[in-house]
Amino acid sequence: MRTSPGERLLDLAVSGVLWGFRILLVAAILIGTIATIRAGKYTSEQWIDFVVFGISQGSIYALIALGYTMVYGILRMINFAHGDIFMTGAFAAYFLATWMNGTGFIDSYPILGLLIPILFAMIVAGGIAMLVERIAYRPLRGAPRLVPLISAIGASFFLEYAFRGFFGPGVYAYPPIKALEGEWDILGIGILKVQVVVAVAAFIMMAILYSIVMFTKVGKAMRAVSESKDTAALMGIDVNRIIVSTFALGAAMAGAAGVLYSLIFRQVGFFMGFTPGIKAFTAAVLGGIGNIPGAMVGGLVLGIFESVGPSLFLEGLGITRPYQLKDAIAYTMLVMILLFRPSGILGERITTKKA
Amino acid sequence: MISGIFHTTYEKDMALRRTHAQKIRIVIVIVFLLVFPFLANRYALTLANQVGIAVIGAIGLNILVGYTGQISLGQGGFMAVGAYTAGILTARFGMPWWASTIVACFTTALIGTIFGIPSLRLKGLYLAIATLAAQVIILWVVTHWSALTGGVDALVVPDPKLFGIKINTDFNFYWVTWGLVGIVTIAAVNLFRTHFGRAFIAIRDQDIAASVMGVDLFKYKLLAFAVSSFLVGLAGALTAHYRNIVTWERFTVDVSVLYLAMIIIGGLGSVTGSYLGATFMTLLPVLLTNLGRAVKTSFPLIDSILPFVQQAMFGLVIILFLIFEPEGLNKIWKNIKDYFRLWPFSY
């Protein structure tokens, strides 16, 4: 399309600037890393702590990211309200867990006291997601691509402020589970119990989801619908039902993630879905959106990067209080991936049809 | 029998005001705007100023989203750039308010263009997220760069002055706001009679086709970001001078969503729509509050929930408009006009 030498020169200049930017970024990370390691401020045990924290947080991102990626895979839309569905799950679990804590149930049966709120959160989140799909997305399915996105933003806004309206702007403390306090000694390294439990729970959930998608009839139908809605309908698949179940499944994962998140951070509030939502989206894009293993890998990579990054390369670059820049790392990463490799780590090249 | 409006000459087709009725309506609106401040009380004037600023911001966003088809969730961030530039220049460096406003517009245009660069590669959803990242990054810089912006503390801006008169009342500021609204409106309407505006619309409708027709996507997309951010910066700067105070809380993601709601509800790709949407969304909370007061005695529960549900209403209103009237208030307005023009023989 471009032919004139002036425009070709401009193209060259743009790609030159972009390449310069990449090289600069990699150089900054390398220099920072080397400087930090030479300074030797952190012991190897602290590094392991960072990584473990990164894994447990990353597995939560991965759980949320699955919902983004599955819905994208089927409808080619970003469910912007997903972060808020995560929040509804956390709220549901909070109320149940507080009540259970009041009766002393959690202390006597810690495992059930963990599992029942998770299950409840999954059901509530799944139900709300189904409602959102029915009200805000389904009537707009034939509309131009931008329209469902805006509608999703509206849904996100509605959920956030409806919850604020009902439960106030304050932050609630998730009841403590005594069995999860303290550390476990694994190979001579003390690791917080909560983090292990969260990571393990998240991995189990991911395994369940993966087997549902790969080995059940519903999962097969989901994959068929994401290939082509029309062909799937011709094969006798009820497309609407599959879309709803995709929403519900993704939302159930987000609801469970909401409980795990509140186990680590112990705070439940109406705005809690925003940041994890964006970060999980970053994770989904990082792994290649529409790609289920990609979302898991992306979540873990983002979590570890975010947890290790500030002290690894930001501090080496002479930035004081690098932990404040934690969120900035995720956002910078997001923009960089979108610019340089929008298909993500495991994704295929995105064609204009999908973008 | 007139079945529609048909122009027989190019001059008429290109004209800014195409019909006689349009001219009469414009005169009525202008007369109303001129008389309004003398009749209204202070509260109504405050609302009028808010609406005016919102109209400028909405027109700015509509140029980008409605006319060029590049979605932006960075509105709040860009407004923050405008407000903080104007505020800092006036408060710290003693620049006159009009000069700082102009500088703020250009600064915002520059920043907007920089954040618009990803639009060359990203479309739709991805662009929405990239502009959301712009919003988050700008707000993060604002709250953390305390030396310049005052961080999370409010920045106090002195009263603006014009010809030695302090513009510290709503009545005085009304003329500034609505004078600028007038200029912006004329500029925006005219923009879409030039080749720039038509290039924007071509990009919105089909970017590949536009590029084949010789529209330089790189140039015009960035230009759209620049023009749009320029106006958004103006809205931000006006907020700073009007409120005499700049805080980051006024420029959160909520603001981005609010403005997006305005132009969707008003009507994408329409200046009239920007007016209608901005007015509707600014007055909606007021209406809801009054409604709450009216039913307070009979339904005390509604009154206690209402203030919180107000913002939730924005989300609901966006969804409802998308489903039932995707072309917004502007379309409803057109339907009303058509109904009366064709009356009593519709169809």
Side-chain angles (χ1 to χ4, degrees), chain B residues 46-62:
Chain B
T46 313
L47 288 178
N49 279 324
Q50 287 174 13
V51 169
I53 293 172
V55 167
I56 296 176
I59 291 178
L61 188 64
N62 219 337

mmCIF file of all heavy atoms in Angstrom, chain B residues 46-62:
data_model
loop_
_atom_site.group_PDB
_atom_site.id
_atom_site.type_symbol
_atom_site.label_atom_id
_atom_site.label_comp_id
_atom_site.label_asym_id
_atom_site.label_seq_id
_atom_site.Cartn_x
_atom_site.Cartn_y
_atom_site.Cartn_z
ATOM 1 N N THR B 46 -24.230 26.778 38.357
ATOM 2 C CA THR B 46 -23.179 25.783 38.603
ATOM 3 C C THR B 46 -23.361 24.606 37.665
ATOM 4 O O THR B 46 -22.415 24.145 37.016
ATOM 5 C CB THR B 46 -23.273 25.267 40.055
ATOM 6 O OG1 THR B 46 -23.401 26.380 40.906
ATOM 7 C CG2 THR B 46 -22.057 24.462 40.425
ATOM 8 N N LEU B 47 -24.609 24.131 37.591
ATOM 9 C CA LEU B 47 -24.885 23.000 36.698
ATOM 10 C C LEU B 47 -24.570 23.371 35.256
ATOM 11 O O LEU B 47 -23.985 22.583 34.517
ATOM 12 C CB LEU B 47 -26.346 22.586 36.824
ATOM 13 C CG LEU B 47 -26.722 21.883 38.116
ATOM 14 C CD1 LEU B 47 -28.207 21.577 38.121
ATOM 15 C CD2 LEU B 47 -25.912 20.619 38.291
ATOM 16 N N ALA B 48 -24.947 24.606 34.867
ATOM 17 C CA ALA B 48 -24.703 25.020 33.490
ATOM 18 C C ALA B 48 -23.213 24.998 33.179
ATOM 19 O O ALA B 48 -22.796 24.570 32.098
ATOM 20 C CB ALA B 48 -25.272 26.413 33.256
ATOM 21 N N ASN B 49 -22.396 25.444 34.137
ATOM 22 C CA ASN B 49 -20.954 25.405 33.908
ATOM 23 C C ASN B 49 -20.449 23.983 33.776
ATOM 24 O O ASN B 49 -19.622 23.677 32.922
ATOM 25 C CB ASN B 49 -20.225 26.115 35.046
ATOM 26 C CG ASN B 49 -20.237 27.603 34.848
ATOM 27 O OD1 ASN B 49 -20.148 28.090 33.728
ATOM 28 N ND2 ASN B 49 -20.383 28.346 35.927
ATOM 29 N N GLN B 50 -20.953 23.115 34.650
ATOM 30 C CA GLN B 50 -20.525 21.710 34.564
ATOM 31 C C GLN B 50 -20.911 21.116 33.214
ATOM 32 O O GLN B 50 -20.134 20.418 32.590
ATOM 33 C CB GLN B 50 -21.163 20.896 35.688
ATOM 34 C CG GLN B 50 -20.551 21.182 37.033
ATOM 35 C CD GLN B 50 -21.292 20.473 38.144
ATOM 36 O OE1 GLN B 50 -22.098 19.588 37.904
ATOM 37 N NE2 GLN B 50 -21.022 20.878 39.362
ATOM 38 N N VAL B 51 -22.144 21.435 32.802
ATOM 39 C CA VAL B 51 -22.590 20.907 31.514
ATOM 40 C C VAL B 51 -21.688 21.427 30.402
ATOM 41 O O VAL B 51 -21.262 20.666 29.520
ATOM 42 C CB VAL B 51 -24.062 21.292 31.250
ATOM 43 C CG1 VAL B 51 -24.441 20.982 29.810
ATOM 44 C CG2 VAL B 51 -24.986 20.574 32.198
ATOM 45 N N GLY B 52 -21.367 22.727 30.451
ATOM 46 C CA GLY B 52 -20.524 23.312 29.409
ATOM 47 C C GLY B 52 -19.183 22.606 29.307
ATOM 48 O O GLY B 52 -18.727 22.245 28.216
ATOM 49 N N ILE B 53 -18.546 22.394 30.452
ATOM 50 C CA ILE B 53 -17.241 21.718 30.446
ATOM 51 C C ILE B 53 -17.403 20.292 29.914
ATOM 52 O O ILE B 53 -16.612 19.813 29.099
ATOM 53 C CB ILE B 53 -16.635 21.712 31.864
ATOM 54 C CG1 ILE B 53 -16.281 23.145 32.270
ATOM 55 C CG2 ILE B 53 -15.406 20.833 31.924
ATOM 56 C CD1 ILE B 53 -15.867 23.298 33.698
ATOM 57 N N ALA B 54 -18.474 19.634 30.351
ATOM 58 C CA ALA B 54 -18.712 18.265 29.881
ATOM 59 C C ALA B 54 -18.940 18.241 28.374
ATOM 60 O O ALA B 54 -18.493 17.318 27.694
ATOM 61 C CB ALA B 54 -19.905 17.655 30.615
ATOM 62 N N VAL B 55 -19.631 19.271 27.851
ATOM 63 C CA VAL B 55 -19.883 19.299 26.405
ATOM 64 C C VAL B 55 -18.558 19.368 25.652
ATOM 65 O O VAL B 55 -18.341 18.627 24.685
ATOM 66 C CB VAL B 55 -20.785 20.504 26.032
ATOM 67 C CG1 VAL B 55 -20.783 20.716 24.529
ATOM 68 C CG2 VAL B 55 -22.195 20.271 26.521
ATOM 69 N N ILE B 56 -17.639 20.223 26.123
ATOM 70 C CA ILE B 56 -16.346 20.325 25.437
ATOM 71 C C ILE B 56 -15.621 18.980 25.474
ATOM 72 O O ILE B 56 -15.128 18.487 24.455
ATOM 73 C CB ILE B 56 -15.482 21.430 26.078
ATOM 74 C CG1 ILE B 56 -16.150 22.783 25.883
ATOM 75 C CG2 ILE B 56 -14.080 21.428 25.484
ATOM 76 C CD1 ILE B 56 -15.438 23.911 26.561
ATOM 77 N N GLY B 57 -15.584 18.369 26.667
ATOM 78 C CA GLY B 57 -14.920 17.067 26.781
ATOM 79 C C GLY B 57 -15.581 16.016 25.906
ATOM 80 O O GLY B 57 -14.912 15.210 25.265
ATOM 81 N N ALA B 58 -16.929 16.046 25.869
ATOM 82 C CA ALA B 58 -17.647 15.034 25.100
ATOM 83 C C ALA B 58 -17.414 15.222 23.604
ATOM 84 O O ALA B 58 -17.233 14.247 22.875
ATOM 85 C CB ALA B 58 -19.134 15.088 25.419
ATOM 86 N N ILE B 59 -17.400 16.473 23.149
ATOM 87 C CA ILE B 59 -17.118 16.695 21.728
ATOM 88 C C ILE B 59 -15.720 16.179 21.407
ATOM 89 O O ILE B 59 -15.501 15.504 20.401
ATOM 90 C CB ILE B 59 -17.254 18.191 21.368
ATOM 91 C CG1 ILE B 59 -18.711 18.620 21.448
ATOM 92 C CG2 ILE B 59 -16.712 18.458 19.967
ATOM 93 C CD1 ILE B 59 -18.942 20.085 21.166
ATOM 94 N N GLY B 60 -14.768 16.471 22.300
ATOM 95 C CA GLY B 60 -13.402 15.988 22.093
ATOM 96 C C GLY B 60 -13.371 14.478 21.962
ATOM 97 O O GLY B 60 -12.774 13.927 21.036
ATOM 98 N N LEU B 61 -14.031 13.786 22.889
ATOM 99 C CA LEU B 61 -14.005 12.323 22.858
ATOM 100 C C LEU B 61 -14.759 11.801 21.641
ATOM 101 O O LEU B 61 -14.364 10.813 21.031
ATOM 102 C CB LEU B 61 -14.628 11.767 24.140
ATOM 103 C CG LEU B 61 -14.498 10.257 24.325
ATOM 104 C CD1 LEU B 61 -13.042 9.875 24.449
ATOM 105 C CD2 LEU B 61 -15.252 9.788 25.550
ATOM 106 N N ASN B 62 -15.832 12.496 21.278
ATOM 107 C CA ASN B 62 -16.633 12.045 20.144
ATOM 108 C C ASN B 62 -15.849 12.134 18.836
ATOM 109 O O ASN B 62 -16.018 11.307 17.942
ATOM 110 C CB ASN B 62 -17.907 12.874 20.048
ATOM 111 C CG ASN B 62 -19.100 12.016 19.660
ATOM 112 O OD1 ASN B 62 -18.933 10.954 19.069
ATOM 113 N ND2 ASN B 62 -20.277 12.465 19.991
#
